[in-house]
Amino acid sequence: MTFDDTAIDWLAGILAEAAQAEIMPRFRRLGDGDVRQKTSAADLVTEADVNAERLITARLRERYPSAMVVGEEACSEDPALLDGLGDAELAFTVDPVDGTFNFASGVPLFGVMLAVVVRGETVAGIIHDPVGKDWLIAARGAGSHISHSNGSLEKVHVAPPVPISRMTGAVSWQYLDEPERSRLARNQTKALSQFAYRCAAHEYRLLASGHAHFVVYNKLMPWDHLPGVLIHQEAGGHAARIDGSAYLPSHVDGGLLVAPDQDSWQELRRELWAE
């Protein structure tokens, strides 16, 4: 079965189903054995992540049996599952609980993220907020919208461009090596203010809805960024890897700078990386 954007509502529905069945019943109710470390004390997985991903994956395979499904937790167990994402006829990326550290800490800033990739191009992205019970949705060429639980749609747009001294942004420096780590942390003070949600789902929402201006990411796993980048671009923004090249589903390195427009991107690239 091929994908068309009439399936977006169905996809949004399975993210909400996973949230209702597997995520929210565990929020602030996790037991001692329900949280495990992956690579560090800041990189966690919970029973909510695992079970939500299983549910979403099962629903996707029922409707799209020949599609590639790239889930964060499945790839954590078998990184080879990422191979071929950029070439697949149809693929879905799934982040069952983006912001797991927040979720495990009882902080209500987390989301469920899904992207649709067709022959190396991201064609749809969905970010579901299980707490707010709404969705941030984009389809290639159709703009970005918040879909509210009452069925209404609200079009979103990135913030107007302003000089860096008037920008609010985030630099995910914890994944950078020195000396770049210290350089960006220092130069971020050129901006008006900063945010750090520890949750790409809500950070992309902040940007796409015009409430902040930029983010810098270094760790590029597709489930973290494909939905948000498409949503941000469809809301009028500009994103590219640090060297200026286009960000593609096959990329897992090279860093990412997200800005209101190309001129803002150039200014941020110059000012944040200044010696």
Side-chain angles (χ1 to χ4, degrees):
M1 187 174 184
T2 58
F3 175 81
D4 65 78
D5 58 15
T6 61
I8 288 179
D9 287 344
W10 178 82
L11 292 171
I14 66 170
L15 300 191
E17 179 189 358
Q20 182 177 3
E22 302 292 352
I23 298 172
M24 293 309 294
R26 293 180 169 91
F27 183 50
R28 295 178 176 167
R29 297 181 181 89
L30 292 168
D32 292 341
D34 293 337
V35 184
R36 302 182 300 281
Q37 289 188 21
K38 291 197 283 189
T39 61
S40 73
D43 185 15
L44 306 177
V45 61
T46 74
E47 288 301 299
D49 298 75
V50 172
N51 287 287
E53 183 171 305
R54 285 175 180 162
L55 188 157
I56 295 167
T57 299
R59 296 288 187 271
L60 290 171
R61 287 182 172 152
E62 287 170 4
R63 181 159 176 159
Y64 301 99
S66 61
M68 181 179 185
V69 180
V70 179
E72 177 180 7
E73 304 314 327
C75 286
S76 179
E77 297 295 325
D78 182 8
L81 293 174
L82 268 172
D83 296 345
L85 176 60
D87 302 316
E89 188 70 20
L90 175 62
F92 299 91
T93 67
V94 179
D95 191 340
V97 182
D98 183 72
T100 299
F101 183 89
N102 292 343
F103 177 81
S105 304
V107 177
L109 280 174
F110 51 88
V112 190
M113 303 173 75
L114 179 143
V116 185
V117 180
V118 175
R119 294 184 293 276
E121 180 182 26
T122 308
V123 299
I126 306 172
I127 298 174
H128 176 50
D129 177 2
V131 177
K133 296 184 178 179
D134 59 14
W135 301 259
L136 191 55
I137 296 175
R140 177 72 64 185
S144 294
H145 299 80
I146 295 175
S147 177
H148 296 282
S149 56
N150 64 5
S152 64
L153 285 178
E154 176 188 351
K155 189 173 179 61
V156 295
H157 199 278
V158 299
V162 293
I164 189 172
S165 61
R166 293 169 56 196
M167 290 186 191
T168 294
V171 176
S172 186
W173 49 258
Q174 64 267 37
Y175 295 112
L176 295 167
D177 295 325
E178 294 292 2
E180 189 177 27
R181 177 184 176 123
S182 293
R183 183 188 309 136
L184 266 72
R186 179 184 68 248
N187 286 332
Q188 188 180 2
T189 61
K190 296 177 181 179
L192 175 66
S193 61
Q194 64 174 334
F195 61 89
Y197 286 174
R198 301 191 71 154
C199 176
H202 279 278
E203 290 173 352
Y204 278 116
R205 181 180 179 129
L206 199 67
L207 294 171
S209 56
H211 299 297
H213 300 88
F214 72 91
V215 288
V216 177
Y217 295 113
N218 191 54
K219 185 180 179 184
L220 301 186
M221 304 315 294
W223 45 81
D224 285 326
H225 299 292
L226 293 183
V229 167
L230 178 65
I231 288 167
H232 181 262
Q233 289 174 332
E234 288 294 322
H238 180 75
R241 292 204 293 174
I242 305 307
D243 65 2
S245 62
Y247 169 57
L248 302 175
S250 57
H251 292 152
V252 295
D253 56 20
L256 185 65
L257 173 57
V258 181
D261 63 4
Q262 191 164 7
D263 288 343
S264 300
W265 191 98
Q266 295 290 352
E267 181 185 5
L268 287 161
R269 178 65 179 87
R270 181 177 64 253
E271 295 294 335
L272 292 175
W273 277 265
E275 296 290 348

